[in-house]
Amino acid sequence: MCGPAMFPAGPRWPRVRVLQVLWALLAVLLASRRLWALKDFEECTWQVVLNEFKRVGENGASDRFFEQELVDTVGNLFHMLVDSPIDPREKYLGFPYYLKINYSCEEKHSEDLVRMGHLTGLKPVVLVTFQSPVNFYRWKIEQLQIQMEAAPFRSKEPCIAEEVCSMSWYTPMPIKNGSVVMRVDVSSNGLGTFIPEKRFQVNINGFLKRNQDNNIQFTVGDELFNLMPQYFVGISSRPLWHTVDQSPVLILGGIPNEKYVLMTDTSFKDFSLVELSIDSCWVGSFYCPQSGFTATIYDTVATESTLFIRQNQLVYYFTGTYTTLYERNRGSGSWVRVLASECIKKLCPVYFHSNGSEYIMALTTGKHEGFVHFGTIRDGQVSFEMLPREWSVCEQIGVTTCSIIWSDYIAGEYTLLLLVESEYENASKRFQVVSYNTANDDLELLYNIPEFIPEARGLEFLMILGTESYTNTVMAPKGISCNPYNHLIFIWGNFLLQSSNKENFIYLADFPKELSIKYMTRSFRGAVAIVTETEECVRAGTRGDWAQGSREMAPQRKGRGAPLVPVEIWYLLEGSYRVYRLFPSKGWKVHISLQLMQQSSLYASNETMLTLFYEGSKLYQLVYLMNNQKGQLVKRLMPVEQLLMYQQHTSHYDLDRKGGYLMLSFTNFCPFSVMRLRNLPGPQRYTRQERYRARPPRVLERSGFHNENSLAIYQGLIYYLLWLHSVYDKPYADPVHDPTWRWWEKNKQDQDYYFFLASNWRSTGGVFIEMDSYDKIYNLKSAYELPERIFLDKGTEYSFAIFLSAQSHSFRTMADLGTVFELHSQVDVGVVLADPGCIEASVKQEVLINRNAVLFSITLKDKKVCYDQGISGHHLMKSSMTVNVVGSSGLCFQETHAGARMQGNLMVPVFIGCPPGKRLAFDITYTLEYSRLKNKHYFDCVQVDPEMPCFLFRDIPTALSGPRGPKGPPKTQPSTSCPMRARGSNGSVWRTPHAMTMFPKASLPLNSSSRCW
């Protein structure tokens, strides 16, 4: 398609007459030949919906996830399984929902595809990841996953065919106490059609209930089913605020003059428009002046259990009904108004939880100007405290009048970062950054923001030292944001300042001072997206001028003649100094042209962006599209990598004459051609991930299709597997780490007998339960990428290597006096640590001259300094490691079947402290030895805990022996912290073995080198 035959002849194709858009498209097509080759296969995608227990097999059925009680519908089935390895006397329960799985490909009927996939051996593999709860005082912190194989099931709809017409795959949708946020990853077993892995958010919605007519309705208000264009067209974009990775339900307001919000429990894959049932009061007073009243919901914040909104100066909250988190009576019956006597001008979110709680901040005006109302949410209970506790911020920084315009909370440091506007006697205004410690009530002035924007003089960035020259443009700060992992702080307004230590700030000159930032959204994995204030409905046209946001096609503001400039979206990699404009840009222009050629349904001639947000490491837009007077609200991916790649190719290319043809050549600014990660260790030791595997029971039917009974048995088996895991949830370790061994320990010897019955179609109940199909996985392999997070504790090391294939000849020789020549690479790697006092990194370089490549071996190590004797998983310190290939930020991309991926910048969060999954192991041998040497008598436990096994030993009474304790075996309460060796009050020795590996039996004698696992 893009070969030399398509090139125009030189003399007959004057260079100056080539349209810019056509050259841009041609440049993209030529640069993406490898990507086109990767997409020769059909583009197929997984589809997942929830079905209630009673609606399995119904076509088109889709249910909402709000039921949280287990169902007792499978017990009778297990009583029939007398020839199975399970114990029918045990209690088996089921979950209220199943996952129904299908897939679709371009321009093909889904039912035909699913049948074809089943006949070719395709089976979906479902991985459910349970998010750890906020309140670790009530629930255990753990990284738990369960991997299930989907079971084929025929539709209940009438069918003429003898065997199968319509079918789907089903797996149970498990529920776990303490988790309301679940990630569902669906992948293929490797047979049949190639379908890329896809992730779904399947969260519990605690704001739904059944009414008297058995219909599902919202508890926060009334659902509206008609999304009128006037609710969305031309309105301003607003940020999506929520606790990162913890909020099951997201909420978005901002619809003008209406009490409407958008709510979703699937991260806007599905959504509902809800009119909130609030009183809409408006109370004006001398300390809270109001120039007007509006019903608009301005600020919305979602936490794990509670929703917050602000309307005018009023703040409300609503607590959902989550029986998996707390008692049922904690849920709200109506919206609760808080801070009723205060004049609230803004809500500020806190993105991360800490100390078992979530937080929110309310900024006041009027009588309590200079104070912050600091809210704490735990188990659905909300409380507010006014900070500072004594003197206001204005009084402590020595000004008569001030206003807090933004606040950010650094949970790990118990610190509020306040952006303060101060007014002095000469009517001048200045902005400061103030730090307030909530633990000791200390306030400190950190930084005085310059009055004017610095003159960068062509530089990408400028260190603010006070000696630089300034422009005439006044700095207008609007917000402050801190990443708790890398401690990078941004102050934003009509400028961008960044700092990593709260003292020295750098001015990023690429962002134009003529614009003003409305909000920033951060992935907290190294990427930042920026939305400017100059935003309105973006109108599109087929000629491409709409993609540039031309003023001719911008809507007119009512009552004014000047057209409005559309929104601009900018992008920044944390740690770098280059700011990229994504929209409008040449890259966006090319992207839209390609989307129009493909007739994509995600783009329209008239569209309005409602919000911009990160989901993991991917950036998404929520956009309202208008096509032929019909509106549609869609969630679409913001292709950051594609836009940057298109912009690079369309801005840097040359036309060289080769004979009678003009040849396109591109400038590649990436310092390497190939980047791969190597020597990655097994992830479970560092991620603390615990994964169970479960396959459906085999059905004794020739077609292989399951029925309702076999699916119900599958439910019960998944429930019992998770129940065994919860029973194993103890502060000490069993001789065997796999809790499933208790399940089969009495029947494992009869495994061949059960197989004989099944192979002769004689198993009762029509199913065969394989004992080997339910186990715990200990040997997960690395996915050739850095893990989502790693835990380090007491000198733990994490090592890996980066292989970089250099561009052309990137090596040079250097010789020192008296030494031989040494080969050096011009490809360099830098490692940035957020807390170098707590962790350290070493980099070893190996030049592979025969492969024109270089191998960097990187080791990250904990210094044994920054940890606490805390309970496993509690009070972990947030940190991070960032690896940068020098000169690669925003310039290096890798083509994959899933699209372009940015390379050269890697960031992994690091948690320092006692990691989740650590358990104490009782060492009988060393306890006996230690007791003989140190103890002449034993002591009874001060606090008896039946979950803590004690070792009873006897001494020969001596004259020094103390009084005997009460009858019964004495019990020792060991420390439940994470020391490498902890002694109880009678000398009992406990150890912390690795929770992911087997360890020796406690009764065996251990040498000194093996006493700590």
Side-chain angles (χ1 to χ4, degrees), residues 181-201:
V181 175
M182 279 81 75
R183 296 200 314 259
V184 175
D185 295 289
V186 183
S187 59
S188 168
N189 63 345
L191 300 177
T193 306
F194 173 78
I195 310 173
E197 181 178 333
K198 189 174 182 179
R199 173 168 293 180
F200 299 86
Q201 292 286 339

Side-chain angles (χ1 to χ4, degrees), residues 493-507:
N494 58 344
F495 61 92
L496 264 180
L497 294 179
Q498 81 172 17
S499 172
S500 58
N501 59 5
K502 306 176 189 174
E503 297 178 1
N504 302 311
F505 283 82
I506 296 174
Y507 170 66

Side-chain angles (χ1 to χ4, degrees), residues 181-185 198-203 240 242 244-245 247 250 264-270 521-525 527 529 612-622 635-638 788:
V181 175
M182 279 81 75
R183 296 200 314 259
V184 175
D185 295 289
K198 189 174 182 179
R199 173 168 293 180
F200 299 86
Q201 292 286 339
V202 184
N203 304 329
L240 183 65
H242 58 94
V244 176
D245 296 331
S247 301
L250 304 181
T264 177
D265 52 29
T266 59
S267 190
F268 287 105
K269 177 180 177 291
D270 303 302
T521 178
R522 306 178 76 163
S523 69
F524 299 102
R525 296 295 187 271
L612 186 73
F613 62 97
Y614 272 98
E615 185 179 309
S617 59
K618 294 183 178 181
L619 185 63
Y620 287 93
Q621 292 176 295
L622 186 64
K635 171 188 173 182
R636 73 185 184 197
L637 180 68
M638 188 72 175
E788 186 177 353

Side-chain angles (χ1 to χ4, degrees), residues 178-251:
S179 294
V180 293
V181 175
M182 279 81 75
R183 296 200 314 259
V184 175
D185 295 289
V186 183
S187 59
S188 168
N189 63 345
L191 300 177
T193 306
F194 173 78
I195 310 173
E197 181 178 333
K198 189 174 182 179
R199 173 168 293 180
F200 299 86
Q201 292 286 339
V202 184
N203 304 329
I204 300 176
N205 193 332
F207 304 93
L208 295 172
K209 67 177 182 180
R210 289 192 187 273
N211 59 15
Q212 296 178 351
D213 299 328
N214 204 31
N215 296 322
I216 299 174
Q217 66 180 30
F218 279 91
T219 57
V220 297
D222 298 322
E223 184 176 4
L224 305 176
F225 298 95
N226 190 7
L227 276 66
M228 302 295 291
Q230 60 264 30
Y231 300 155
F232 307 105
V233 174
I235 68 174
S236 177
S237 174
R238 55 273 195 196
L240 183 65
W241 289 338
H242 58 94
T243 308
V244 176
D245 296 331
Q246 298 293 152
S247 301
V249 176
L250 304 181
I251 181 173

